[in-house]
Every structure is written in C-alpha cells, then in structure tokens.
Amino acid sequence: TGSLDDIGIGKGQYYTVNVPLLDGIKDTEFTPLVCRILNKVKETFRPEVVVCQCGADGLAGDPMESFNLTHKGLGKCLYFLLQWNLPTLVLGGGGYNLSNTARCWAFLTALATGKQIPTEIPDHEYFIEYGPDYELEVYPGNRKNHNTAHYLRQVYGAVLNNISKICTKKC
C-alpha cells in the first residue's frame, strides 16, 4: 500500500524497505523478487535477528483482491529467510479469507518448524469453511497481472538504490 518513497524519516531514513507491487502478481514473479531484495537487505543491514511478518492478504481469494499468491510462494520466501540461520521470529498478519489464512499459516508454521503436515484438513468445528476440497492447498488466482517485467525491474532498481543509501550514511 506504500510507495518507493516510503523509506523512513530522520535517523531511520532508508531503514524502511517498501516494495510496491501492482495487482495480480503471481508466485513466479513475487518469490524471486522478494528473495533478491532480502539478499540485498541482508548484505547491507547485516541483521543479527529477524522478525518476519507473514501477511496473508496477498493470497488468492482474499477479499483485498490484489494478488494471485499461494502459500507455496510465501513459503519459498520464508524458507529463503530461514536459511540465514539467524534467530527468527515468525508472525502472522493480514489475511481476510480466514480459511486460506489458516491454511497459509499452518503451512508456514510447519515449514519453520521442519514438520510435515497432512494435506487434508482435519475435521473440526469450522471444517465446512475449507470446502469444496478440504485440502491445505491455496490455488493461484486468475486476476490480471499488472506487473510487467519492465515495472518489476524499475521497482527492483529503485529499491536497491534506496538500500544502497543506508551504506552511504553508515560508511
């Protein structure tokens, strides 16, 4: 919801990394872009700990109706982050399609803890909300993707430029 200019203020200037994406992005564009940006963030900031908020409002089927993401795309981003082997706090956030949000968070929690979970949703009080397939899968949406390759390159370049300025301030 922010812009490339949302970079923090005062002593915190350039410590905020915002990646504004247009409606319809899919896992195939989202995951590599986020991982490349995270890699640059790691190089520049050299974190000792990580707090990762795993918002689920970009999932396909969310009432926000923005992105076409799946739990697997978000999972690849989290897996990339976990490979840093730093103390990591993983939080939920966002997500207004409650059954898809629960699916996603269950998947990400299993990923973070190294556990395998069944793909079938177990019977419980809200089981009917997980129909018609009653599976863990969140399928990609079919919203038109407005993120052209050119736009994504522009965003990536601008984000890298913003991140590089933090080094200028510290060096």
Side-chain angles (χ1 to χ4, degrees), residues 62-73:
D62 193 88
M64 296 293 288
E65 296 184 347
S66 295
F67 298 158
N68 292 306
L69 302 178
T70 72
H71 63 299
K72 291 179 182 175

Side-chain angles (χ1 to χ4, degrees), residues 1-8 16-19 162:
T1 58
S3 74
L4 287 168
D5 297 330
D6 294 335
I7 55 173
T16 298
V17 177
N18 196 30
V19 184
N162 287 341

Side-chain angles (χ1 to χ4, degrees), residues 103 119-122 126-136:
R103 285 176 169 106
T119 59
E120 303 84 25
I121 303 293
Y126 301 102
F127 182 73
I128 196 73
E129 300 294 324
Y130 294 85
D133 61 358
Y134 305 98
E135 300 262 329
L136 185 65

Side-chain angles (χ1 to χ4, degrees), residues 4 34 41-42 52 64 69 76 79 86-87 101 107 111 114 120 130 144 147 156 167:
L4 287 168
V34 169
V41 166
K42 180 185 176 199
C52 179
M64 296 293 288
L69 302 178
K76 288 177 183 177
Y79 183 79
L86 294 172
T101 299
F107 178 80
L111 182 97
E120 303 84 25
Y130 294 85
K144 179 173 174 40
N147 296 276
Y156 179 67
C167 185

Side-chain angles (χ1 to χ4, degrees), residues 46-147:
R46 296 188 190 110
E48 295 177 16
V49 298
V50 174
V51 177
C52 179
Q53 181 190 5
C54 299
D57 52 2
L59 289 173
D62 193 88
M64 296 293 288
E65 296 184 347
S66 295
F67 298 158
N68 292 306
L69 302 178
T70 72
H71 63 299
K72 291 179 182 175
L74 297 177
K76 288 177 183 177
C77 295
L78 178 59
Y79 183 79
F80 180 82
L81 202 84
L82 293 172
Q83 297 310 297
W84 296 359
N85 292 317
L86 294 172
T88 303
L89 176 62
V90 179
L91 306 169
Y96 306 97
N97 176 320
L98 301 182
S99 58
N100 278 357
T101 299
R103 285 176 169 106
C104 182
W105 289 348
F107 178 80
L108 296 176
T109 300
L111 182 97
T113 59
K115 304 287 183 195
Q116 292 280 21
I117 58 175
T119 59
E120 303 84 25
I121 303 293
D123 192 13
H124 65 293
E125 183 180 356
Y126 301 102
F127 182 73
I128 196 73
E129 300 294 324
Y130 294 85
D133 61 358
Y134 305 98
E135 300 262 329
L136 185 65
E137 192 78 20
V138 176
Y139 297 97
N142 58 3
R143 290 183 56 80
K144 179 173 174 40
N145 186 354
H146 295 279
N147 296 276

